[in-house]
Amino acid sequence: METRQRLAAIAERLDDWEGKLPTEEATKHALVLPFLQALGYNVFDPSQVIPEFVADVAGLRGEKVDYALIHNDVPVILIECKKAGIDLNQNHLSQLVRYFGATQARIGILTNGVVYQFFTDLEQPNVMDQSPFLVVDLRILDVNNVSALDRITTENFDLEGMLSAAVELAYLKGMREALERQLDEPDADVVTWLARQVYGGQLRQSVREEFTERTRRAFRSLINEKVNEVLRRAVDLQQEPLSDPEEEAASGEPDDIDDPADQGESGGIVTTAEEIEAYEIVKSILGGTVGGERVFIRDTKSYCGILLDDNNRKPLCRFSFRPTRKQIALLDADKHAQWIDMDSLDDIYQHAEALREAARRYDDPGA
């Protein structure tokens, strides 16, 4: 069972437990310990999990954090728990902040059993940030967040990869929040910049107010258009008779991927949200092997290809998504594709080692 499925099993019980976890201890036993088990930790093994962790540091006498996750005999992740139902805020961070600075821990987690806030020291070394770089809510299991969690499972533990991802996640989170603000209250600089693209007159106050409202409408119109584009593509896929991807792949060499440049600017190809999500999963899987920045998506009319170094001769896998059938193609050393049915995008994680092996093969042909 994959990480997301194990977490989903916990989430399914949340409604039944609502109002039945009145204490912090009850929350730990019912939610936090199963969460750690979902990440592969043996919560009864002190070489992996230490409850009521006490650091032998002056000034911290008598203070404890609820759990420390251990790697190579070193506490690398500290967890502070609050009872279920509490809204987590900065008032709950003080103890975690002190322990973070006094130990070798690189990640701090604040949780109420349902929401897990992940912190590190992006702003100042060895000083825990006040804002989380990642928030995982069991009620909303976002695939990108679960992909990030995969880096701290016992099976795929990659602390440095997690910290590198933290930088990216923090920037993306901040940029997304900034963009969301523009939907309702666009900044004056944004309004001015957009207005200057289409209006040559003087930007008096009345004109600025008009363009502020136009900016709101422009953002919303763009988002609606993109959503409708994806929906139209889904309808087209349902109506178009498509040949089997296995037959299409057999019609040419595995690395002979259609180039949209040969078919006009877009070649009639629309990359769907589902394909982008699958691509992001592959990037997260390979992040600790070749680096996600080396993984590229190349869409074709027959299938969606994932490539190393944006090189047609370095295919990593392929996807075919239809209304009634999802498939992934894994390629062997001779680049022959084997198409495998999937129930959901989570099934990609089942092929994580095969994807890593394919990536390593290109960097080390003898592997």
Side-chain angles (χ1 to χ4, degrees), residues 3-4 6-14 17 27 30-32 34-36 38-39 111-116 118 135-142 145-146 149:
T3 303
R4 188 175 185 182
R6 291 192 289 263
L7 294 176
I10 301 172
E12 288 175 359
R13 301 195 292 267
L14 291 178
W17 289 343
T27 301
L31 297 175
V32 180
F35 177 85
L36 297 181
L39 299 183
T111 181
N112 60 10
V114 178
V115 177
Y116 293 78
F118 289 72
V135 177
V136 175
D137 188 332
L138 293 182
R139 296 163 300 192
I140 310 170
L141 288 176
D142 179 85
N145 290 349
V146 175
L149 284 181

PDB file of all heavy atoms in Angstrom, residues 3-4 6-14 17 27 30-32 34-36 38-39 111-116 118 135-142 145-146 149:
ATOM      1  N   THR A   3       1.964   5.393   0.238  1.00  0.00           N
ATOM      2  CA  THR A   3       1.817   6.391   1.298  1.00  0.00           C
ATOM      3  C   THR A   3       0.453   7.068   1.249  1.00  0.00           C
ATOM      4  O   THR A   3      -0.225   7.214   2.269  1.00  0.00           O
ATOM      5  CB  THR A   3       2.937   7.433   1.192  1.00  0.00           C
ATOM      6  OG1 THR A   3       4.206   6.782   1.260  1.00  0.00           O
ATOM      7  CG2 THR A   3       2.814   8.459   2.304  1.00  0.00           C
ATOM      8  N   ARG A   4       0.049   7.494   0.058  1.00  0.00           N
ATOM      9  CA  ARG A   4      -1.219   8.225  -0.045  1.00  0.00           C
ATOM     10  C   ARG A   4      -2.393   7.351   0.365  1.00  0.00           C
ATOM     11  O   ARG A   4      -3.342   7.831   1.009  1.00  0.00           O
ATOM     12  CB  ARG A   4      -1.409   8.731  -1.475  1.00  0.00           C
ATOM     13  CG  ARG A   4      -2.620   9.671  -1.607  1.00  0.00           C
ATOM     14  CD  ARG A   4      -2.731  10.253  -2.972  1.00  0.00           C
ATOM     15  NE  ARG A   4      -3.803  11.236  -3.051  1.00  0.00           N
ATOM     16  CZ  ARG A   4      -4.139  11.887  -4.157  1.00  0.00           C
ATOM     17  NH1 ARG A   4      -3.466  11.678  -5.265  1.00  0.00           N
ATOM     18  NH2 ARG A   4      -5.127  12.755  -4.147  1.00  0.00           N
ATOM     19  N   ARG A   6      -2.306   4.869   2.522  1.00  0.00           N
ATOM     20  CA  ARG A   6      -2.272   4.702   3.983  1.00  0.00           C
ATOM     21  C   ARG A   6      -2.794   5.953   4.683  1.00  0.00           C
ATOM     22  O   ARG A   6      -3.513   5.872   5.681  1.00  0.00           O
ATOM     23  CB  ARG A   6      -0.842   4.376   4.423  1.00  0.00           C
ATOM     24  CG  ARG A   6      -0.365   2.998   3.987  1.00  0.00           C
ATOM     25  CD  ARG A   6       0.925   2.618   4.688  1.00  0.00           C
ATOM     26  NE  ARG A   6       2.045   3.392   4.209  1.00  0.00           N
ATOM     27  CZ  ARG A   6       2.901   2.974   3.278  1.00  0.00           C
ATOM     28  NH1 ARG A   6       2.731   1.785   2.719  1.00  0.00           N
ATOM     29  NH2 ARG A   6       3.925   3.725   2.906  1.00  0.00           N
ATOM     30  N   LEU A   7      -2.427   7.123   4.161  1.00  0.00           N
ATOM     31  CA  LEU A   7      -2.929   8.364   4.748  1.00  0.00           C
ATOM     32  C   LEU A   7      -4.433   8.504   4.521  1.00  0.00           C
ATOM     33  O   LEU A   7      -5.158   8.982   5.396  1.00  0.00           O
ATOM     34  CB  LEU A   7      -2.185   9.561   4.151  1.00  0.00           C
ATOM     35  CG  LEU A   7      -0.699   9.660   4.466  1.00  0.00           C
ATOM     36  CD1 LEU A   7      -0.078  10.837   3.731  1.00  0.00           C
ATOM     37  CD2 LEU A   7      -0.464   9.794   5.959  1.00  0.00           C
ATOM     38  N   ALA A   8      -4.887   8.086   3.356  1.00  0.00           N
ATOM     39  CA  ALA A   8      -6.319   8.158   3.062  1.00  0.00           C
ATOM     40  C   ALA A   8      -7.118   7.273   4.012  1.00  0.00           C
ATOM     41  O   ALA A   8      -8.238   7.611   4.409  1.00  0.00           O
ATOM     42  CB  ALA A   8      -6.577   7.752   1.614  1.00  0.00           C
ATOM     43  N   ALA A   9      -6.535   6.136   4.398  1.00  0.00           N
ATOM     44  CA  ALA A   9      -7.214   5.242   5.339  1.00  0.00           C
ATOM     45  C   ALA A   9      -7.399   5.924   6.691  1.00  0.00           C
ATOM     46  O   ALA A   9      -8.423   5.734   7.362  1.00  0.00           O
ATOM     47  CB  ALA A   9      -6.411   3.955   5.498  1.00  0.00           C
ATOM     48  N   ILE A  10      -6.409   6.734   7.108  1.00  0.00           N
ATOM     49  CA  ILE A  10      -6.550   7.499   8.355  1.00  0.00           C
ATOM     50  C   ILE A  10      -7.623   8.565   8.187  1.00  0.00           C
ATOM     51  O   ILE A  10      -8.474   8.764   9.058  1.00  0.00           O
ATOM     52  CB  ILE A  10      -5.210   8.157   8.742  1.00  0.00           C
ATOM     53  CG1 ILE A  10      -4.119   7.100   8.922  1.00  0.00           C
ATOM     54  CG2 ILE A  10      -5.363   8.971  10.029  1.00  0.00           C
ATOM     55  CD1 ILE A  10      -2.724   7.693   9.122  1.00  0.00           C
ATOM     56  N   ALA A  11      -7.582   9.247   7.043  1.00  0.00           N
ATOM     57  CA  ALA A  11      -8.534  10.339   6.795  1.00  0.00           C
ATOM     58  C   ALA A  11      -9.969   9.845   6.813  1.00  0.00           C
ATOM     59  O   ALA A  11     -10.882  10.568   7.250  1.00  0.00           O
ATOM     60  CB  ALA A  11      -8.212  11.005   5.457  1.00  0.00           C
ATOM     61  N   GLU A  12     -10.194   8.620   6.345  1.00  0.00           N
ATOM     62  CA  GLU A  12     -11.556   8.077   6.301  1.00  0.00           C
ATOM     63  C   GLU A  12     -12.172   7.943   7.698  1.00  0.00           C
ATOM     64  O   GLU A  12     -13.384   7.918   7.839  1.00  0.00           O
ATOM     65  CB  GLU A  12     -11.549   6.711   5.608  1.00  0.00           C
ATOM     66  CG  GLU A  12     -11.318   6.791   4.109  1.00  0.00           C
ATOM     67  CD  GLU A  12     -11.197   5.421   3.479  1.00  0.00           C
ATOM     68  OE1 GLU A  12     -11.282   4.410   4.229  1.00  0.00           O
ATOM     69  OE2 GLU A  12     -11.034   5.351   2.244  1.00  0.00           O
ATOM     70  N   ARG A  13     -11.323   7.852   8.717  1.00  0.00           N
ATOM     71  CA  ARG A  13     -11.834   7.670  10.088  1.00  0.00           C
ATOM     72  C   ARG A  13     -12.040   8.993  10.826  1.00  0.00           C
ATOM     73  O   ARG A  13     -12.513   8.999  11.958  1.00  0.00           O
ATOM     74  CB  ARG A  13     -10.865   6.787  10.877  1.00  0.00           C
ATOM     75  CG  ARG A  13     -10.660   5.413  10.264  1.00  0.00           C
ATOM     76  CD  ARG A  13      -9.990   4.463  11.248  1.00  0.00           C
ATOM     77  NE  ARG A  13      -8.610   4.837  11.533  1.00  0.00           N
ATOM     78  CZ  ARG A  13      -7.553   4.356  10.880  1.00  0.00           C
ATOM     79  NH1 ARG A  13      -7.735   3.495   9.890  1.00  0.00           N
ATOM     80  NH2 ARG A  13      -6.328   4.714  11.217  1.00  0.00           N
ATOM     81  N   LEU A  14     -11.660  10.099  10.198  1.00  0.00           N
ATOM     82  CA  LEU A  14     -11.715  11.393  10.889  1.00  0.00           C
ATOM     83  C   LEU A  14     -13.132  11.759  11.323  1.00  0.00           C
ATOM     84  O   LEU A  14     -13.344  12.256  12.434  1.00  0.00           O
ATOM     85  CB  LEU A  14     -11.129  12.493  10.000  1.00  0.00           C
ATOM     86  CG  LEU A  14      -9.619  12.435   9.758  1.00  0.00           C
ATOM     87  CD1 LEU A  14      -9.179  13.553   8.820  1.00  0.00           C
ATOM     88  CD2 LEU A  14      -8.855  12.523  11.075  1.00  0.00           C
ATOM     89  N   TRP A  17     -14.197   9.989  14.424  1.00  0.00           N
ATOM     90  CA  TRP A  17     -13.470  10.372  15.634  1.00  0.00           C
ATOM     91  C   TRP A  17     -13.703  11.818  16.055  1.00  0.00           C
ATOM     92  O   TRP A  17     -13.218  12.248  17.091  1.00  0.00           O
ATOM     93  CB  TRP A  17     -11.971  10.154  15.423  1.00  0.00           C
ATOM     94  CG  TRP A  17     -11.597   8.706  15.375  1.00  0.00           C
ATOM     95  CD1 TRP A  17     -12.341   7.649  15.807  1.00  0.00           C
ATOM     96  CD2 TRP A  17     -10.383   8.155  14.862  1.00  0.00           C
ATOM     97  NE1 TRP A  17     -11.671   6.462  15.596  1.00  0.00           N
ATOM     98  CE2 TRP A  17     -10.460   6.742  15.024  1.00  0.00           C
ATOM     99  CE3 TRP A  17      -9.239   8.702  14.292  1.00  0.00           C
ATOM    100  CZ2 TRP A  17      -9.438   5.893  14.620  1.00  0.00           C
ATOM    101  CZ3 TRP A  17      -8.215   7.852  13.890  1.00  0.00           C
ATOM    102  CH2 TRP A  17      -8.319   6.457  14.055  1.00  0.00           C
ATOM    103  N   THR A  27      -5.104  12.245  20.763  1.00  0.00           N
ATOM    104  CA  THR A  27      -4.773  12.629  19.392  1.00  0.00           C
ATOM    105  C   THR A  27      -3.519  11.919  18.907  1.00  0.00           C
ATOM    106  O   THR A  27      -3.459  11.437  17.769  1.00  0.00           O
ATOM    107  CB  THR A  27      -4.579  14.157  19.303  1.00  0.00           C
ATOM    108  OG1 THR A  27      -5.781  14.812  19.710  1.00  0.00           O
ATOM    109  CG2 THR A  27      -4.228  14.579  17.891  1.00  0.00           C
ATOM    110  N   ALA A  30      -4.442   8.140  18.262  1.00  0.00           N
ATOM    111  CA  ALA A  30      -5.411   7.887  17.195  1.00  0.00           C
ATOM    112  C   ALA A  30      -4.954   8.394  15.837  1.00  0.00           C
ATOM    113  O   ALA A  30      -5.306   7.812  14.797  1.00  0.00           O
ATOM    114  CB  ALA A  30      -6.758   8.521  17.544  1.00  0.00           C
ATOM    115  N   LEU A  31      -4.144   9.479  15.820  1.00  0.00           N
ATOM    116  CA  LEU A  31      -3.829  10.122  14.551  1.00  0.00           C
ATOM    117  C   LEU A  31      -2.329  10.244  14.265  1.00  0.00           C
ATOM    118  O   LEU A  31      -1.880   9.904  13.162  1.00  0.00           O
ATOM    119  CB  LEU A  31      -4.456  11.523  14.508  1.00  0.00           C
ATOM    120  CG  LEU A  31      -5.980  11.581  14.565  1.00  0.00           C
ATOM    121  CD1 LEU A  31      -6.452  13.025  14.631  1.00  0.00           C
ATOM    122  CD2 LEU A  31      -6.584  10.880  13.357  1.00  0.00           C
ATOM    123  N   VAL A  32      -1.562  10.724  15.234  1.00  0.00           N
ATOM    124  CA  VAL A  32      -0.154  11.021  14.955  1.00  0.00           C
ATOM    125  C   VAL A  32       0.664   9.750  14.771  1.00  0.00           C
ATOM    126  O   VAL A  32       1.444   9.635  13.812  1.00  0.00           O
ATOM    127  CB  VAL A  32       0.453  11.906  16.062  1.00  0.00           C
ATOM    128  CG1 VAL A  32       1.927  12.196  15.754  1.00  0.00           C
ATOM    129  CG2 VAL A  32      -0.323  13.218  16.179  1.00  0.00           C
ATOM    130  N   PRO A  34      -0.413   6.709  13.852  1.00  0.00           N
ATOM    131  CA  PRO A  34      -0.736   6.111  12.544  1.00  0.00           C
ATOM    132  C   PRO A  34      -0.132   6.896  11.375  1.00  0.00           C
ATOM    133  O   PRO A  34       0.247   6.300  10.370  1.00  0.00           O
ATOM    134  CB  PRO A  34      -2.268   6.160  12.502  1.00  0.00           C
ATOM    135  CG  PRO A  34      -2.666   6.091  13.940  1.00  0.00           C
ATOM    136  CD  PRO A  34      -1.625   6.895  14.673  1.00  0.00           C
ATOM    137  N   PHE A  35      -0.050   8.219  11.504  1.00  0.00           N
ATOM    138  CA  PHE A  35       0.587   9.029  10.466  1.00  0.00           C
ATOM    139  C   PHE A  35       2.051   8.620  10.300  1.00  0.00           C
ATOM    140  O   PHE A  35       2.539   8.437   9.173  1.00  0.00           O
ATOM    141  CB  PHE A  35       0.478  10.518  10.832  1.00  0.00           C
ATOM    142  CG  PHE A  35       1.166  11.444   9.866  1.00  0.00           C
ATOM    143  CD1 PHE A  35       0.515  11.884   8.724  1.00  0.00           C
ATOM    144  CD2 PHE A  35       2.455  11.899  10.104  1.00  0.00           C
ATOM    145  CE1 PHE A  35       1.138  12.742   7.828  1.00  0.00           C
ATOM    146  CE2 PHE A  35       3.090  12.760   9.223  1.00  0.00           C
ATOM    147  CZ  PHE A  35       2.427  13.177   8.078  1.00  0.00           C
ATOM    148  N   LEU A  36       2.767   8.469  11.410  1.00  0.00           N
ATOM    149  CA  LEU A  36       4.175   8.060  11.337  1.00  0.00           C
ATOM    150  C   LEU A  36       4.297   6.646  10.772  1.00  0.00           C
ATOM    151  O   LEU A  36       5.214   6.360   9.990  1.00  0.00           O
ATOM    152  CB  LEU A  36       4.810   8.137  12.725  1.00  0.00           C
ATOM    153  CG  LEU A  36       4.878   9.541  13.352  1.00  0.00           C
ATOM    154  CD1 LEU A  36       5.542   9.474  14.721  1.00  0.00           C
ATOM    155  CD2 LEU A  36       5.621  10.503  12.438  1.00  0.00           C
ATOM    156  N   ALA A  38       2.293   5.371   8.638  1.00  0.00           N
ATOM    157  CA  ALA A  38       2.021   5.496   7.202  1.00  0.00           C
ATOM    158  C   ALA A  38       3.276   5.895   6.438  1.00  0.00           C
ATOM    159  O   ALA A  38       3.406   5.591   5.243  1.00  0.00           O
ATOM    160  CB  ALA A  38       0.911   6.523   6.960  1.00  0.00           C
ATOM    161  N   LEU A  39       4.188   6.578   7.115  1.00  0.00           N
ATOM    162  CA  LEU A  39       5.461   6.952   6.491  1.00  0.00           C
ATOM    163  C   LEU A  39       6.507   5.852   6.641  1.00  0.00           C
ATOM    164  O   LEU A  39       7.664   6.049   6.230  1.00  0.00           O
ATOM    165  CB  LEU A  39       5.987   8.257   7.111  1.00  0.00           C
ATOM    166  CG  LEU A  39       5.092   9.491   6.961  1.00  0.00           C
ATOM    167  CD1 LEU A  39       5.784  10.715   7.551  1.00  0.00           C
ATOM    168  CD2 LEU A  39       4.722   9.748   5.517  1.00  0.00           C
ATOM    169  N   THR A 111       1.623  19.741  14.701  1.00  0.00           N
ATOM    170  CA  THR A 111       0.418  19.070  14.215  1.00  0.00           C
ATOM    171  C   THR A 111      -0.671  19.004  15.277  1.00  0.00           C
ATOM    172  O   THR A 111      -0.385  18.995  16.480  1.00  0.00           O
ATOM    173  CB  THR A 111       0.751  17.636  13.756  1.00  0.00           C
ATOM    174  OG1 THR A 111      -0.438  17.011  13.265  1.00  0.00           O
ATOM    175  CG2 THR A 111       1.320  16.804  14.892  1.00  0.00           C
ATOM    176  N   ASN A 112      -1.908  18.956  14.782  1.00  0.00           N
ATOM    177  CA  ASN A 112      -3.053  18.639  15.644  1.00  0.00           C
ATOM    178  C   ASN A 112      -3.627  17.279  15.257  1.00  0.00           C
ATOM    179  O   ASN A 112      -4.774  16.975  15.573  1.00  0.00           O
ATOM    180  CB  ASN A 112      -4.126  19.726  15.549  1.00  0.00           C
ATOM    181  CG  ASN A 112      -4.650  19.899  14.132  1.00  0.00           C
ATOM    182  OD1 ASN A 112      -4.357  19.105  13.234  1.00  0.00           O
ATOM    183  ND2 ASN A 112      -5.436  20.943  13.904  1.00  0.00           N
ATOM    184  N   GLY A 113      -2.822  16.478  14.569  1.00  0.00           N
ATOM    185  CA  GLY A 113      -3.237  15.150  14.147  1.00  0.00           C
ATOM    186  C   GLY A 113      -3.900  15.115  12.795  1.00  0.00           C
ATOM    187  O   GLY A 113      -3.910  14.081  12.126  1.00  0.00           O
ATOM    188  N   VAL A 114      -4.454  16.239  12.372  1.00  0.00           N
ATOM    189  CA  VAL A 114      -5.122  16.333  11.073  1.00  0.00           C
ATOM    190  C   VAL A 114      -4.286  17.180  10.116  1.00  0.00           C
ATOM    191  O   VAL A 114      -4.044  16.800   8.966  1.00  0.00           O
ATOM    192  CB  VAL A 114      -6.534  16.931  11.214  1.00  0.00           C
ATOM    193  CG1 VAL A 114      -7.196  17.077   9.849  1.00  0.00           C
ATOM    194  CG2 VAL A 114      -7.371  16.070  12.135  1.00  0.00           C
ATOM    195  N   VAL A 115      -3.824  18.327  10.614  1.00  0.00           N
ATOM    196  CA  VAL A 115      -2.977  19.231   9.829  1.00  0.00           C
ATOM    197  C   VAL A 115      -1.542  19.107  10.328  1.00  0.00           C
ATOM    198  O   VAL A 115      -1.294  19.145  11.538  1.00  0.00           O
ATOM    199  CB  VAL A 115      -3.461  20.691   9.953  1.00  0.00           C
ATOM    200  CG1 VAL A 115      -2.532  21.627   9.192  1.00  0.00           C
ATOM    201  CG2 VAL A 115      -4.898  20.813   9.427  1.00  0.00           C
ATOM    202  N   TYR A 116      -0.610  18.967   9.388  1.00  0.00           N
ATOM    203  CA  TYR A 116       0.809  18.839   9.715  1.00  0.00           C
ATOM    204  C   TYR A 116       1.567  19.981   9.037  1.00  0.00           C
ATOM    205  O   TYR A 116       1.601  20.066   7.802  1.00  0.00           O
ATOM    206  CB  TYR A 116       1.346  17.488   9.250  1.00  0.00           C
ATOM    207  CG  TYR A 116       0.761  16.320  10.008  1.00  0.00           C
ATOM    208  CD1 TYR A 116      -0.525  15.859   9.712  1.00  0.00           C
ATOM    209  CD2 TYR A 116       1.462  15.699  11.025  1.00  0.00           C
ATOM    210  CE1 TYR A 116      -1.093  14.803  10.421  1.00  0.00           C
ATOM    211  CE2 TYR A 116       0.910  14.638  11.744  1.00  0.00           C
ATOM    212  CZ  TYR A 116      -0.361  14.203  11.435  1.00  0.00           C
ATOM    213  OH  TYR A 116      -0.918  13.156  12.140  1.00  0.00           O
ATOM    214  N   PHE A 118       5.115  21.811   8.337  1.00  0.00           N
ATOM    215  CA  PHE A 118       6.533  21.467   8.269  1.00  0.00           C
ATOM    216  C   PHE A 118       7.363  22.748   8.207  1.00  0.00           C
ATOM    217  O   PHE A 118       7.126  23.627   7.362  1.00  0.00           O
ATOM    218  CB  PHE A 118       6.819  20.627   7.026  1.00  0.00           C
ATOM    219  CG  PHE A 118       6.276  19.221   7.101  1.00  0.00           C
ATOM    220  CD1 PHE A 118       4.908  18.991   7.005  1.00  0.00           C
ATOM    221  CD2 PHE A 118       7.118  18.135   7.270  1.00  0.00           C
ATOM    222  CE1 PHE A 118       4.393  17.701   7.074  1.00  0.00           C
ATOM    223  CE2 PHE A 118       6.618  16.848   7.345  1.00  0.00           C
ATOM    224  CZ  PHE A 118       5.252  16.634   7.249  1.00  0.00           C
ATOM    225  N   VAL A 135       2.377  22.331   4.170  1.00  0.00           N
ATOM    226  CA  VAL A 135       1.241  22.025   5.046  1.00  0.00           C
ATOM    227  C   VAL A 135       0.490  20.838   4.443  1.00  0.00           C
ATOM    228  O   VAL A 135       0.038  20.898   3.293  1.00  0.00           O
ATOM    229  CB  VAL A 135       0.290  23.223   5.208  1.00  0.00           C
ATOM    230  CG1 VAL A 135      -0.908  22.830   6.075  1.00  0.00           C
ATOM    231  CG2 VAL A 135       1.026  24.416   5.815  1.00  0.00           C
ATOM    232  N   VAL A 136       0.391  19.768   5.213  1.00  0.00           N
ATOM    233  CA  VAL A 136      -0.332  18.575   4.773  1.00  0.00           C
ATOM    234  C   VAL A 136      -1.594  18.442   5.617  1.00  0.00           C
ATOM    235  O   VAL A 136      -1.522  18.361   6.841  1.00  0.00           O
ATOM    236  CB  VAL A 136       0.537  17.308   4.927  1.00  0.00           C
ATOM    237  CG1 VAL A 136      -0.280  16.064   4.566  1.00  0.00           C
ATOM    238  CG2 VAL A 136       1.781  17.406   4.053  1.00  0.00           C
ATOM    239  N   ASP A 137      -2.728  18.446   4.956  1.00  0.00           N
ATOM    240  CA  ASP A 137      -4.028  18.301   5.615  1.00  0.00           C
ATOM    241  C   ASP A 137      -4.602  16.948   5.208  1.00  0.00           C
ATOM    242  O   ASP A 137      -4.830  16.698   4.013  1.00  0.00           O
ATOM    243  CB  ASP A 137      -4.961  19.435   5.186  1.00  0.00           C
ATOM    244  CG  ASP A 137      -6.261  19.478   5.977  1.00  0.00           C
ATOM    245  OD1 ASP A 137      -6.703  18.414   6.456  1.00  0.00           O
ATOM    246  OD2 ASP A 137      -6.833  20.572   6.127  1.00  0.00           O
ATOM    247  N   LEU A 138      -4.820  16.060   6.178  1.00  0.00           N
ATOM    248  CA  LEU A 138      -5.314  14.727   5.859  1.00  0.00           C
ATOM    249  C   LEU A 138      -6.679  14.758   5.171  1.00  0.00           C
ATOM    250  O   LEU A 138      -7.060  13.809   4.482  1.00  0.00           O
ATOM    251  CB  LEU A 138      -5.406  13.880   7.131  1.00  0.00           C
ATOM    252  CG  LEU A 138      -4.077  13.511   7.804  1.00  0.00           C
ATOM    253  CD1 LEU A 138      -4.340  12.626   9.024  1.00  0.00           C
ATOM    254  CD2 LEU A 138      -3.140  12.822   6.835  1.00  0.00           C
ATOM    255  N   ARG A 139      -7.410  15.853   5.351  1.00  0.00           N
ATOM    256  CA  ARG A 139      -8.728  15.945   4.710  1.00  0.00           C
ATOM    257  C   ARG A 139      -8.612  16.317   3.250  1.00  0.00           C
ATOM    258  O   ARG A 139      -9.560  16.167   2.481  1.00  0.00           O
ATOM    259  CB  ARG A 139      -9.583  16.978   5.452  1.00  0.00           C
ATOM    260  CG  ARG A 139      -9.898  16.602   6.887  1.00  0.00           C
ATOM    261  CD  ARG A 139     -10.377  17.782   7.687  1.00  0.00           C
ATOM    262  NE  ARG A 139      -9.380  18.850   7.745  1.00  0.00           N
ATOM    263  CZ  ARG A 139      -9.437  19.894   8.557  1.00  0.00           C
ATOM    264  NH1 ARG A 139     -10.455  19.996   9.392  1.00  0.00           N
ATOM    265  NH2 ARG A 139      -8.503  20.813   8.538  1.00  0.00           N
ATOM    266  N   ILE A 140      -7.439  16.839   2.852  1.00  0.00           N
ATOM    267  CA  ILE A 140      -7.215  17.256   1.462  1.00  0.00           C
ATOM    268  C   ILE A 140      -5.841  16.741   1.063  1.00  0.00           C
ATOM    269  O   ILE A 140      -4.836  17.450   1.190  1.00  0.00           O
ATOM    270  CB  ILE A 140      -7.271  18.790   1.302  1.00  0.00           C
ATOM    271  CG1 ILE A 140      -8.523  19.360   1.958  1.00  0.00           C
ATOM    272  CG2 ILE A 140      -7.205  19.179  -0.166  1.00  0.00           C
ATOM    273  CD1 ILE A 140      -8.534  20.867   2.044  1.00  0.00           C
ATOM    274  N   LEU A 141      -5.776  15.509   0.589  1.00  0.00           N
ATOM    275  CA  LEU A 141      -4.483  14.889   0.290  1.00  0.00           C
ATOM    276  C   LEU A 141      -4.016  15.282  -1.109  1.00  0.00           C
ATOM    277  O   LEU A 141      -4.179  14.558  -2.094  1.00  0.00           O
ATOM    278  CB  LEU A 141      -4.599  13.370   0.424  1.00  0.00           C
ATOM    279  CG  LEU A 141      -4.735  12.863   1.861  1.00  0.00           C
ATOM    280  CD1 LEU A 141      -4.944  11.354   1.879  1.00  0.00           C
ATOM    281  CD2 LEU A 141      -3.512  13.236   2.686  1.00  0.00           C
ATOM    282  N   ASP A 142      -3.427  16.476  -1.177  1.00  0.00           N
ATOM    283  CA  ASP A 142      -2.883  16.984  -2.428  1.00  0.00           C
ATOM    284  C   ASP A 142      -1.721  16.106  -2.882  1.00  0.00           C
ATOM    285  O   ASP A 142      -0.828  15.776  -2.106  1.00  0.00           O
ATOM    286  CB  ASP A 142      -2.404  18.425  -2.216  1.00  0.00           C
ATOM    287  CG  ASP A 142      -1.794  19.009  -3.474  1.00  0.00           C
ATOM    288  OD1 ASP A 142      -2.537  19.518  -4.306  1.00  0.00           O
ATOM    289  OD2 ASP A 142      -0.562  18.931  -3.613  1.00  0.00           O
ATOM    290  N   ASN A 145       1.818  17.420  -2.209  1.00  0.00           N
ATOM    291  CA  ASN A 145       2.223  17.346  -0.804  1.00  0.00           C
ATOM    292  C   ASN A 145       2.605  15.923  -0.414  1.00  0.00           C
ATOM    293  O   ASN A 145       3.583  15.698   0.303  1.00  0.00           O
ATOM    294  CB  ASN A 145       1.096  17.851   0.102  1.00  0.00           C
ATOM    295  CG  ASN A 145       0.892  19.345  -0.023  1.00  0.00           C
ATOM    296  OD1 ASN A 145       1.705  20.040  -0.630  1.00  0.00           O
ATOM    297  ND2 ASN A 145      -0.173  19.855   0.546  1.00  0.00           N
ATOM    298  N   VAL A 146       1.824  14.958  -0.895  1.00  0.00           N
ATOM    299  CA  VAL A 146       2.153  13.562  -0.593  1.00  0.00           C
ATOM    300  C   VAL A 146       3.472  13.173  -1.249  1.00  0.00           C
ATOM    301  O   VAL A 146       4.273  12.429  -0.674  1.00  0.00           O
ATOM    302  CB  VAL A 146       1.012  12.627  -1.056  1.00  0.00           C
ATOM    303  CG1 VAL A 146       1.398  11.164  -0.851  1.00  0.00           C
ATOM    304  CG2 VAL A 146      -0.269  12.936  -0.298  1.00  0.00           C
ATOM    305  N   LEU A 149       6.166  14.277   0.985  1.00  0.00           N
ATOM    306  CA  LEU A 149       6.284  13.394   2.143  1.00  0.00           C
ATOM    307  C   LEU A 149       7.083  12.127   1.816  1.00  0.00           C
ATOM    308  O   LEU A 149       7.727  11.552   2.695  1.00  0.00           O
ATOM    309  CB  LEU A 149       4.897  12.983   2.642  1.00  0.00           C
ATOM    310  CG  LEU A 149       4.095  14.004   3.436  1.00  0.00           C
ATOM    311  CD1 LEU A 149       2.765  13.405   3.861  1.00  0.00           C
ATOM    312  CD2 LEU A 149       4.866  14.491   4.639  1.00  0.00           C
TER     313      LEU A 149
END
